């Protein structure tokens, strides 16, 4: 009996030491909140919306860090995503449907920021509540916010762009 | 999958009732009747000797635990366990420190019948209700953003409590004249995990990982027993 109890003791001790790790868990969920946009065009007849495949879309963040990042979405794509600033209540982007063309629009998105705790492994992030979009109309016909809550949910589209 | 709270409570209540009302086996009746007169009293105080070793091995988590049990009757012990601890969570994107005290109250039921009034060795299982009183200092966070720039801030300090239910089992063996050793394995189920949503503590002394609703733990105790009441009655029985 004592021998059996000793085995249990050693097994329990090893199990405990194995489980009692101090290292940080890996972050297994998305940390970044992305605003997802979808480009459409109106059909010639009726109210049907058709995907617009932008030939070579390019997104340029304005008022960001000095070394500006250029987002080059996949060629001939109608869906793309980009980030909102966590240090201001608005973000301004330039969108060019085709890098071969100089035709481009600027849009500014206004929003509220909500600090959100994800986990000890992932830390904090911002969720956003979209308020308004203002845009130029060079290549763009119109833009509309269709979902105001921007979270880590990757299945939600927030912005429709009409060409 | 989160542990369902209501079925758990019902399960624990049922287990508690079963534990408290478990009759002594029929074959032990005669022994039990004798022991009922002779079992006496025992107060046992112990310290978890594994914690200081773990504290030495870890830089960020410290905890100390003590246990006190009192033999009531019919192989049933009242148990109070307590302790304190602290933790330091320090990473570039999130850092905070915290400390807490804790108390666990419950009962142990011996599953090995005693061989006589002087035999206090045994294996047992038991239930606990645990509570921890915690303070988390101001937390500092940084959200990394390569496009718009990093943003940093602080989350105010907070005082809160944790509550959990616990199933445990273990062994106690007398080494020499009231000095005992023993171990416990424990399964803990956090009852108020929702209150940690805004920033779950990385470590709660007495419970374990604050961001887990179910944790397992192990204690290794060195104990000292104070006994009274059993010896004179045992002598009287012998003389009879």
């Amino acid at each position: 009996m004592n021998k059996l109890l000793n085995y249990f003791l050693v097994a329990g001790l090893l199990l405990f030491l194995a489980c009692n790790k101090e290292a940080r868990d890996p972050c297994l969920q998305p940390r970044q909140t992305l605003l997802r946009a979808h480009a459409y065009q109106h059909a010639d007849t009726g109210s049907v919306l058709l995907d617009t495949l932008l030939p070579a879309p390019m997104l340029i963040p304005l008022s960001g860090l000095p070394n500006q990042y250029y987002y080059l979405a996949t060629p001939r794509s109608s869906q793309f995503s980009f980030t909102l600033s966590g240090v201001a209540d608005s973000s301004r982007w330039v969108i060019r449907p085709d890098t071969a063309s100089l035709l481009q629009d600027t849009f500014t998105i206004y929003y509220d920021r909500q600090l959100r705790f994800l986990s000890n492994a992932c830390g904090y992030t911002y969720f956003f509540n979209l308020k308004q979009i203002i845009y130029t109309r060079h290549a763009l016909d119109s833009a509309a916010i269709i979902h105001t809550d921007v979270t880590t949910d990757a299945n939600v589209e927030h912005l429709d762009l009409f060409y | 999958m989160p542990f369902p709270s209501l079925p758990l409570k019902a399960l624990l209540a049922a287990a508690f009732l079963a534990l408290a009302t478990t009759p002594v086996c029929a074959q032990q009746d005669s022994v039990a009747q004798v022991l009922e007169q002779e079992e006496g009293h025992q107060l046992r105080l112990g310290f978890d000797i594994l914690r200081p070793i773990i504290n030495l091995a870890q830089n960020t988590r410290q905890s100390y635990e003590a246990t006190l049990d009192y033999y009531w009757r019919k192989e049933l012990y009242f148990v109070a366990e307590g302790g304190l601890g602290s933790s330091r969570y320090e990473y570039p994107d999130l850092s905070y420190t915290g400390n807490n005290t804790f108390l666990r109250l419950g009962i142990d039921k011996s599953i090995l019948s005693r061989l006589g009034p002087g035999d206090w060795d045994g294996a047992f299982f038991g239930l606990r209700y645990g509570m921890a009183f915690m303070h988390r200092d101001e937390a500092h966070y940084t959200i990394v953003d390569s496009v718009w720039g990093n943003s940093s801030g602080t989350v105010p300090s907070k005082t809160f409590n944790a509550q959990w239910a616990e199933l445990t089992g273990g062994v106690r063996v007398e080494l020499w004249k009231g000095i005992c050793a023993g171990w416990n394995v424990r399964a803990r189920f956090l009852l108020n995990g929702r209150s940690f949503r805004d920033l779950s503590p990385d470590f709660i002394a007495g419970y374990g990982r604050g961001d887990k609703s179910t944790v397992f733990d192990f204690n290794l105790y060195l104990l000292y027993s104070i006994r009274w009441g059993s010896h004179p009655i045992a002598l009287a029985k012998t003389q009879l």
Side-chain angles (χ1 to χ4, degrees), chain B residues 15-35:
Chain B
F16 181 85
L17 284 174
L19 188 68
T21 58
T22 302
V24 178
C25 297
Q27 63 180 13
Q28 297 169 1
D29 278 353
S30 56
V31 177
Q33 281 169 2
V34 173
L35 283 178

Side-chain angles (χ1 to χ4, degrees), chain A residues 16 22 24-25 62 117 120, chain B residues 60 89 96 148 200 209 217:
Chain A
F16 173 73
E22 197 181 13
R24 191 183 201 186
D25 284 343
L62 299 178
F117 176 69
N120 278 303
Chain B
T60 59
Y89 197 76
Y96 59 87
W148 305 101
S200 55
R209 291 277 302 270
D217 202 359

Side-chain angles (χ1 to χ4, degrees), chain B residues 87-156:
Chain B
S87 67
R88 184 164 45 87
Y89 197 76
E90 203 165 332
Y91 291 93
D93 61 329
L94 183 62
S95 63
Y96 59 87
T97 56
N99 59 72
N100 75 279
T101 56
F102 69 90
L103 180 65
R104 295 190 297 252
L105 299 172
I107 53 171
D108 283 340
K109 174 81 175 172
S110 180
I111 51 176
L112 298 177
S113 56
R114 292 165 61 189
L115 301 175
D119 176 24
W120 294 94
D121 295 349
F124 60 87
F125 66 96
L127 296 171
R128 302 281 187 278
Y129 171 73
M131 62 204 100
F133 309 98
M134 313 185 55
H135 176 77
R136 177 182 45 74
D137 294 326
E138 202 171 60
H140 302 271
Y141 67 85
T142 298
I143 300 171
V144 177
D145 189 332
S146 57
V147 177
W148 305 101
N150 298 347
S151 55
S152 301
T154 57
V155 179

Side-chain angles (χ1 to χ4, degrees), chain A residues 26-45:
Chain A
C27 177
L28 299 175
Q29 67 185 106
R31 240 188 265 229
Q32 200 170 33
T33 48
L34 292 172
L35 189 148
R36 290 175 177 77
H38 199 149
Y40 290 103
Q41 62 180 340
H42 290 285
D44 293 338
T45 56

Side-chain angles (χ1 to χ4, degrees), chain A residues 5 9 13 16 20-22 24-25 31 62 65 69 71 83-85 87 93 115 117 120 124 126, chain B residues 54 58-61 89 91 93 96 141 143 146-148 151 155 183 197-200 209 217-218:
Chain A
L5 291 175
L9 174 64
L13 192 59
F16 173 73
N20 199 42
K21 62 186 175 62
E22 197 181 13
R24 191 183 201 186
D25 284 343
R31 240 188 265 229
L62 299 178
L65 289 173
Y69 271 64
Y71 276 8
T83 60
L84 298 174
S85 171
V87 293
W93 287 85
L115 186 66
F117 176 69
N120 278 303
Y124 280 86
Y126 280 113
Chain B
I54 294 170
Q58 293 187 332
N59 293 322
T60 59
R61 297 173 189 168
Y89 197 76
Y91 291 93
D93 61 329
Y96 59 87
Y141 67 85
I143 300 171
S146 57
V147 177
W148 305 101
S151 55
V155 179
W183 52 265
R197 271 186 182 170
D198 56 344
L199 177 50
S200 55
R209 291 277 302 270
D217 202 359
F218 182 83

